[in-house]
């Protein structure tokens, strides 16, 4: 492909993930976006988890049992000459480290908040990962068709709970049954709730006034809205594209995914303001997406997609250049060449072979067991490695042993491979040498147990230790006598010492008693 054409193609990419707490409306909003993109024709296609319309995935037995649709891991569509890639961030019981890792492969995030509930736990955790990477975050305040929290209170929560400045792109006129629409500050118009498409938008004059005779202006809700908009203009944050792009200010859109109100305006603005593929940092400095030859990194490995072949698919985020099926690249970690002959792209409920893709895109590579999470693939001799993926702090822990002591060898092999693949984290108790698994979601343990049996023929005994607060120790000489059942000292797989605290109280008590022991949480560094 000619350089200019390739550059245009790369710059047309917008790759993002939707972050939210379960039930905030992520699936509903995704469906509306896919409808605008013409990828699906009916609502309910993505949402088969509940409606049963979705063909059950054949990728993994455990997923079949639980009805998780991994095929929707990456969705793509074209919109206004842009190529949109949406990466799924599984929530509910399928929340896992993969959910976090997915956020390392996007250039921006859309945060969906249920306006009746405000900011919830899972949103906070996912937000922190995005925040650490400094990626732009676009907020969709959902469910305005229901009576929710006061909009000003919601904005205050963004600043107080998440610590991010906000700029409301529009402002609601009423809510619930009385939701009349929004005052659109960005496009200087009113977007009205209408059954038909007719007269949905009312352009405002340069002073922000509605045209004479517009019905909506006689409503007291409109007057309240105008007062609040005035307040925002005087006391609120200013719109700043720089702040949006460095992730310190989030543009906020009020709307309703279910009634499809405000979604198209959101999408139109998103494609305009969201960044195209960004340079990524490596041991050789920042790599430019448009001028560096093909490179990418693996952020997720999905095992046993086809149980008959025991194959795996490695998800690669292309960071620079162009992928062509059959090309030879090098795995930077090993320096070994690999031919990328089998590659897949994903589309709503389907996957198909991909012949060409560019920076910003996600492709699935057939993995005979050669890749590790975080691996960099590079075309050409100048090998470099993208920064290691961050460690995510687990909060659930299990002791694990092989049921049959005669199977120690297979147990060790399975354990080390699954840990390397990133399925779970592994710790060892300092005193007893017991194996302890750590995860951010229960599903990770179930997958581990299932795969140990299916792939390594080992039954395991798993004993829950419940949730713990792990804190890494800066100084390795820390005394083992500080280990107790409430602050268990373990080593992680890189041999770093970690305390597993029983709860917040135990952590604080320990910190008070041992001020010289410096503890840290890798997700907050
Ligand atoms: P999730 O993927 O974030 O978990 O949320 P999902 O889209 O599945 O939505 C969760 C529930 O919230 C669904 O209702 C959905 O219909 C509802 N919902 C989503 N957006 C809106 C909105 O803008 N307004 C209102 N009023 N409701 C919304 P459910 O009853 O749990 O599921 P279903 O029976 O409708 O499928």
């Amino acid at each position: 492909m000619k350089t200019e054409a390739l550059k245009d193609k790369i710059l047309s990419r917008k790759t993002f993930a939707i972050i939210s707490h379960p039930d905030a409306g992520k699936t509903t909003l995704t469906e509306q976006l896919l409808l605008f993109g013409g990828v699906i024709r009916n609502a309910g296609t993505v949402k088969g988890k509940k409606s049963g319309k979705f063909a059950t995935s054949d990728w993994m037995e455990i997923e079949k049992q639980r009805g998780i649709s991994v095929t929707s891991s990456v969705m793509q569509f074209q919109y206004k000459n842009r190529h949109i890639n949406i990466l799924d961030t599984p929530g509910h019981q399928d929340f896992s480290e993969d959910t976090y890792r997915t956020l390392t492969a996007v250039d921006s995030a859309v945060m969906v908040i249920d306006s009746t509930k405000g900011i919830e736990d899972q949103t906070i955790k996912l937000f922190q990962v995005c925040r650490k990477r400094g990626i732009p975050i676009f907020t969709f305040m959902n469910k305005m068709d229901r009576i929710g929290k006061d909009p000003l209170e919601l904005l205050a929560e963004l600043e107080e709970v998440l610590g991010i400045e906000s700029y409301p792109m529009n402002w609601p006129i009423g809510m619930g049954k009385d939701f009349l629409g929004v005052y659109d500050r960005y496009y200087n118009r009113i977007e009205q709730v209408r059954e038909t498409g007719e007269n949905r938008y009312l352009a405002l004059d340069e002073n922000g006034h509605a045209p004479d005779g517009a019905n909506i202006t006689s409503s007291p809700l409109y007057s309240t809205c105008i007062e609040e908009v005035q307040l925002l203009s005087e006391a609120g944050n200013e719109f700043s594209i720089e702040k949006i792009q460095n992730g310190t200010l989030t543009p906020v859109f009020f709307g309703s995914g279910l009634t499809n109100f405000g979604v198209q305006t959101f999408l139109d603005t998103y494609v305009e303001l969201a960044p195209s593929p960004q340079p990524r940092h490596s041991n050789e400095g920042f790599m430019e997406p448009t001028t560096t030859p093909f490179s990418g990194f693996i952020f997720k490995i999905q095992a046993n997609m086809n149980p008959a072949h025991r194959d795996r698919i490695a998800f690669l985020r292309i960071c620079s250049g162009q992928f062509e099926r059959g090309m030879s690249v090098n795995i930077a970690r090993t320096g070994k060449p690999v031919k990328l002959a089998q590659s897949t792209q994903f589309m709503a409920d389907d996957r198909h072979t991909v012949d060409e893709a560019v920076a910003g895109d996600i492709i699935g590579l057939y993995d005979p067991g050669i890749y590790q999470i975080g691996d960099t693939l590079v075309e050409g001799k100048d090998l470099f490695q993208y920064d290691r993926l961050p460690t995510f702090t687990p909060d659930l822990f299990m002791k694990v042993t092989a049921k049959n002591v005669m199977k120690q060898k297979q147990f060790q092999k399975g354990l080390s491979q699954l840990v390397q693949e990133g399925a779970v984290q592994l710790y060892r108790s300092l005193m007893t040498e017991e194996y302890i698994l750590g995860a951010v979601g229960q599903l990770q343990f179930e997958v581990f147990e299932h795969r140990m049996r299916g792939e390594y023929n080992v039954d395991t005994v798993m004993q829950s230790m419940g949730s713990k607060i792990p804190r890494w120790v800066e100084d390795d000489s820390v005394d083992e006598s500080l280990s107790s059942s409430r602050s268990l000292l373990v080593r992680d797989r890189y041999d770093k010492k970690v305390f597993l605290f029983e709860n917040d109280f135990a952590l604080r008590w320990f910190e008070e008693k041992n001020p010289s022991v410096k503890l840290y949480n890798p997700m907050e560094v």
Side-chain angles (χ1 to χ4, degrees):
M1 196 184 298
K2 289 244 170 60
T3 328
E4 274 310 303
L6 175 61
K7 195 173 162 196
D8 286 349
K9 238 180 161 178
I10 292 173
L11 295 180
S12 76
R13 263 55 188 171
K14 305 273 173 178
T15 303
F16 72 96
I18 303 187
I19 60 174
S20 63
H21 193 81
D23 286 336
K26 182 183 70 165
T27 316
T28 310
L29 183 72
T30 307
E31 264 180 10
Q32 300 291 6
L33 297 176
L34 294 179
L35 282 166
F36 285 121
V39 177
I40 55 170
R41 256 165 284 148
N42 303 306
T45 314
V46 182
K47 223 181 150 183
K49 199 164 60 180
K50 286 176 191 160
S51 66
K53 280 182 206 155
F54 199 84
T56 318
S57 145
D58 62 350
W59 287 5
M60 220 174 134
E61 194 58 29
I62 191 166
E63 286 173 334
K64 256 194 220 167
Q65 287 161 10
R66 298 184 56 152
I68 301 164
S69 47
V70 271
T71 37
S72 60
S73 290
V74 186
M75 290 156 276
Q76 311 167 322
F77 63 91
Q78 306 281 339
Y79 185 77
K80 296 199 166 165
N81 293 329
R82 303 307 205 305
H83 183 106
I84 317 276
N85 294 311
I86 309 181
L87 275 64
D88 192 22
T89 48
H92 293 272
Q93 319 96 305
D94 27 332
F95 188 67
S96 75
E97 270 171 88
D98 278 341
T99 311
Y100 285 139
R101 284 190 204 110
T102 297
L103 299 176
T104 65
V106 299
D107 299 302
S108 57
V110 171
M111 179 163 72
V112 179
I113 291 172
D114 181 338
S115 61
T116 67
K117 300 210 174 115
I119 296 161
E120 299 173 88
D121 284 2
Q122 208 153 295
T123 312
I124 300 176
K125 289 185 186 173
L126 295 165
F127 172 85
Q128 281 165 345
V129 177
C130 297
R131 182 59 181 277
K132 228 181 135 185
R133 293 195 54 231
I135 61 170
I137 297 168
F138 293 73
T139 303
F140 191 82
M141 288 290 181
N142 195 26
K143 306 198 185 180
M144 289 311 294
D145 57 310
R146 293 181 53 192
I147 297 284
K149 291 193 172 184
D150 181 72
L152 286 167
E153 201 184 313
L154 289 167
L155 286 196
E157 270 190 42
L158 285 174
E159 311 220 352
E160 281 157 22
V161 181
L162 300 180
I164 188 167
E165 289 182 17
S166 61
Y167 180 87
M169 303 291 277
N170 59 28
W171 198 250
I173 308 170
M175 61 166 74
K177 274 207 221 63
D178 295 325
F179 182 48
L180 304 180
V182 292
Y183 182 102
D184 189 333
R185 300 172 82 200
Y186 189 67
Y187 292 105
N188 202 33
R189 66 187 182 188
I190 289 168
E191 185 170 352
Q192 305 190 83
V193 173
R194 283 287 150 108
E195 287 301 310
T196 63
E198 182 200 353
N199 201 16
R200 184 179 269 288
Y201 302 107
L202 278 181
L204 301 170
D205 66 20
E206 66 271 24
N207 299 317
H209 295 142
D212 287 344
N215 278 342
I216 200 163
T217 53
S218 57
S219 163
L221 294 171
Y222 181 76
S223 314
T224 310
C225 167
I226 296 297
E227 279 166 28
E228 288 175 343
V229 168
Q230 206 108 44
L231 183 75
L232 290 169
S233 306
E234 284 158 19
N237 298 311
E238 270 177 39
F239 180 84
S240 156
I241 188 70
E242 291 77 33
K243 283 188 169 182
I244 293 174
Q245 296 203 333
N246 67 26
T248 55
L249 179 137
T250 178
V252 180
F253 302 78
F254 289 85
S256 159
L258 190 66
T259 62
N260 196 7
F261 182 88
V263 179
Q264 189 158 19
T265 304
F266 167 75
L267 181 59
D268 286 343
T269 323
Y270 173 79
V271 294
E272 189 189 316
L273 302 182
S276 42
Q278 294 295 294
R280 194 173 181 91
H281 196 258
S282 76
N283 57 347
E284 301 283 322
F286 280 97
M287 294 296 160
E288 282 294 331
T290 53
T291 50
T292 316
F294 169 85
S295 73
F297 74 97
I298 286 162
F299 64 94
K300 173 171 164 175
I301 293 176
Q302 183 83 47
N304 266 10
M305 289 185 166
N306 179 350
H309 297 104
R310 285 197 172 183
D311 66 353
R312 311 181 208 194
I313 288 199
F315 287 74
L316 180 96
R317 152 79 199 225
I318 305 176
C319 299
S320 65
Q322 184 185 13
F323 161 84
E324 277 170 35
R325 191 156 66 89
M327 75 192 298
S328 277
V329 300
N330 293 301
I331 305 175
R333 174 176 49 86
T334 59
K336 289 209 176 107
V338 54
K339 195 168 151 77
L340 305 181
Q342 287 190 43
S343 45
T344 317
Q345 242 172 7
F346 309 86
M347 188 73 85
D349 56 353
D350 197 13
R351 42 183 179 145
H352 61 93
T353 300
V354 58
D355 295 318
E356 254 185 40
V358 301
D361 290 337
I362 311 295
I363 55 172
L365 298 173
Y366 169 72
D367 176 20
I370 53 173
Y371 300 123
Q372 285 182 15
I373 283 184
D375 268 352
T376 302
L377 303 190
V378 187
E379 182 183 18
K381 288 207 176 65
D382 296 332
L383 297 190
F384 60 84
Q385 297 207 37
Y386 286 115
D387 292 354
R388 216 172 80 185
L389 295 191
T391 302
F392 301 108
T393 316
D395 33 38
L396 299 173
F397 293 85
M398 287 260 185
K399 286 184 182 162
V400 61
T401 50
K403 198 168 188 177
N404 181 347
V405 284
M406 305 301 284
K407 294 216 167 164
Q408 272 309 319
K409 222 169 152 185
Q410 290 100 306
F411 174 74
Q412 299 281 353
K413 185 174 171 212
L415 188 64
S416 96
Q417 287 189 355
L418 293 181
V419 168
Q420 217 163 59
E421 217 181 77
V424 282
Q425 293 189 23
L426 180 66
Y427 301 85
R428 289 198 83 172
S429 153
L430 236 69
M431 317 286 260
T432 59
E433 295 279 301
E434 283 170 301
Y435 289 109
I436 296 170
L437 302 180
V440 304
Q442 186 66 25
L443 176 73
Q444 288 181 258
F445 296 131
E446 291 176 33
V447 168
F448 173 84
E449 212 174 356
H450 182 86
R451 290 185 59 192
M452 285 296 274
R453 191 178 306 127
E455 293 169 42
Y456 302 95
N457 198 20
V458 182
D459 281 320
T460 49
V461 180
M462 310 271 281
Q463 187 198 342
S464 174
M465 297 167 73
S467 65
K468 304 266 179 222
I469 304 177
R471 287 291 177 268
W472 274 250
V473 188
E474 270 180 12
D475 178 5
D476 198 61
S477 65
V478 62
D479 196 336
E480 285 167 27
S481 66
L482 296 178
S483 183
S484 74
S485 61
R486 299 175 64 215
S487 55
L488 185 67
L489 190 56
V490 298
R491 280 191 189 277
D492 72 6
R493 75 181 178 109
Y494 304 107
D495 241 15
K496 289 243 175 329
K497 283 183 181 164
V498 184
F499 278 108
L500 304 183
F501 292 102
E502 195 171 32
N503 50 33
D504 211 33
F505 178 77
L507 166 62
R508 272 185 282 131
W509 191 83
F510 181 95
E511 283 179 322
E512 260 169 46
K513 287 266 170 214
N514 307 285
S516 60
V517 180
K518 293 276 170 280
L519 302 172
Y520 68 95
N521 175 0
M523 277 173 85
E524 285 169 4
V525 177

